Amino acid sequence: MNKVFNEFVYKIFQDQVEKIEEYFFENNIKNYYFYETKEGTFLVLVFEENQENVSLPFNLEFVENRTTTSEDWVKNLITKPFEFIEGVYVDPDHNNVDGKIVIRITPGLAFGTGLHDTTKLSAKFLKKYLRPGMDVLDLGCGSAILSILAKKLGAGRVLGVDNDPLAVEAAKENVERNNVDVEIRQSDLFSNVDGKYDLIVSNIIAEILIEALKDLPKYLKEDGIVILSGIIDSKLPLFKNYNIVEHWRSNEWNALVIKM
């Protein structure tokens, strides 16, 4: 489905990218992407057709309002494969990267890009802890990049859920693009989740992760593994009472492996 979207484009300074991403992540804003040209760096806010722009706490130079489609993103944003994590490539143009795991997704698109530190940390832990045949739940799946990676790493059942209907639509398109058996559902945390899982991965903000941990044991198999990412340094103490098996950090972002 080639849906039409409304985009608001801003020219920004390169050193604003990290601050903007941090603000968006902490406020669970997913409908954006960045791109660069010889004219500079740009931020694009993406909304459903006819939806109006929102105000942001940044001094940004407005460039234009335009309509676009998901096909435009695929064609225009990134034109060659890049290494997401070691041995795993994101390939927006559906080219082949011999001998590697390839995820066919559009980086820079809203709902999860493969470029953010939190996504990379999650993916690295998935690659380390996932064993063939494991059932995996991706809680807050966004673009489904982690769900798709889990399946390509050999997972059994994979369920990806997100509370944002636009994210769910993008995730379903990416699953189809990768020709993998991954189920995507709209769900507010566990409200539309069934079954139990060997591994649950969640890359969302710390406060929501803490809320999710209250119900998470109901959906985790015995000796199951929990991978949590999206935890900025200042929120790390919220997790001090959990059984943290491993902790990785990249810039100001943290990811944890927890045993319940």
Side-chain angles (χ1 to χ4, degrees), residues 246-259:
E246 195 163 5
H247 170 203
W248 286 349
R249 183 176 182 273
S250 180
N251 295 313
E252 74 271 40
W253 298 103
N254 298 270
L256 308 174
V257 176
I258 290 176
K259 288 288 186 74

Side-chain angles (χ1 to χ4, degrees), residues 1-18:
M1 180 179 179
N2 193 24
K3 191 168 183 178
V4 176
F5 294 92
N6 197 21
E7 294 190 337
F8 294 86
V9 184
Y10 297 88
K11 187 172 183 180
I12 64 174
F13 295 106
Q14 181 61 40
D15 61 7
Q16 289 181 296
V17 171
E18 186 173 320

Side-chain angles (χ1 to χ4, degrees), residues 19 23 92-93 121 144 153 239 246:
K19 292 179 181 178
Y23 174 82
D93 282 339
L121 288 168
L153 289 171
F239 301 85
E246 195 163 5

Side-chain angles (χ1 to χ4, degrees), residues 17-216:
V17 171
E18 186 173 320
K19 292 179 181 178
I20 293 171
E21 280 207 312
E22 182 178 325
Y23 174 82
F24 285 170
F25 202 94
E26 289 186 332
N27 289 277
N28 200 31
I29 297 172
K30 303 175 183 178
N31 54 320
Y32 72 95
Y33 63 87
F34 298 100
Y35 71 94
E36 292 189 18
T37 71
K38 61 183 180 181
E39 283 80 27
T41 303
F42 296 86
L43 163 68
V44 183
L45 297 179
V46 185
F47 300 97
E48 290 190 89
E49 192 175 13
N50 299 324
Q51 186 174 341
E52 294 184 357
N53 198 5
V54 296
S55 60
L56 296 173
F58 302 100
N59 184 21
L60 305 176
E61 178 187 343
F62 179 75
V63 176
E64 64 173 334
N65 174 215
R66 67 193 186 192
T67 58
T68 189
T69 67
S70 53
E71 281 188 3
D72 292 331
W73 291 333
V74 175
K75 292 174 183 175
N76 298 329
L77 284 181
I78 294 185
T79 58
K80 61 182 179 180
F82 73 92
E83 192 167 26
F84 172 31
I85 60 172
E86 185 177 357
V88 178
Y89 281 76
V90 169
D91 179 9
D93 282 339
H94 302 193
N95 298 317
N96 292 320
V97 183
D98 293 336
K100 307 291 184 182
I101 293 174
V102 178
I103 300 174
R104 288 167 173 80
I105 198 168
T106 306
L109 179 59
F111 319 122
T113 67
L115 297 172
H116 198 280
D117 289 329
T118 61
T119 313
K120 291 181 180 180
L121 288 168
S122 303
K124 288 177 181 178
F125 271 145
L126 266 182
K127 190 178 179 187
K128 180 172 182 178
Y129 284 92
L130 193 151
R131 298 291 177 265
M134 278 185 168
D135 293 332
V136 176
L137 171 64
D138 183 2
L139 189 67
C141 65
S143 67
I145 188 170
L146 297 176
S147 300
I148 294 165
L149 174 60
K151 194 65 181 181
K152 289 185 179 243
L153 289 171
R157 181 192 183 196
V158 179
L159 172 63
V161 300
D162 201 288
N163 67 352
D164 187 324
L166 281 178
V168 168
E169 184 175 326
K172 288 180 177 179
E173 289 179 358
N174 286 324
V175 165
E176 183 177 353
R177 186 176 291 126
N178 283 271
N179 193 28
V180 290
D181 183 14
V182 171
E183 184 180 1
I184 302 296
R185 298 179 185 172
Q186 186 171 344
S187 179
D188 186 4
L189 292 180
F190 295 102
S191 65
N192 195 23
V193 172
D194 61 329
K196 292 196 173 188
Y197 300 84
D198 300 287
L199 191 154
I200 297 177
V201 58
S202 190
N203 176 27
I204 48 184
I205 63 174
E207 290 84 354
I208 299 178
L209 292 175
I210 288 294
E211 186 66 25
L213 282 167
K214 296 175 183 177
D215 292 325
L216 189 147

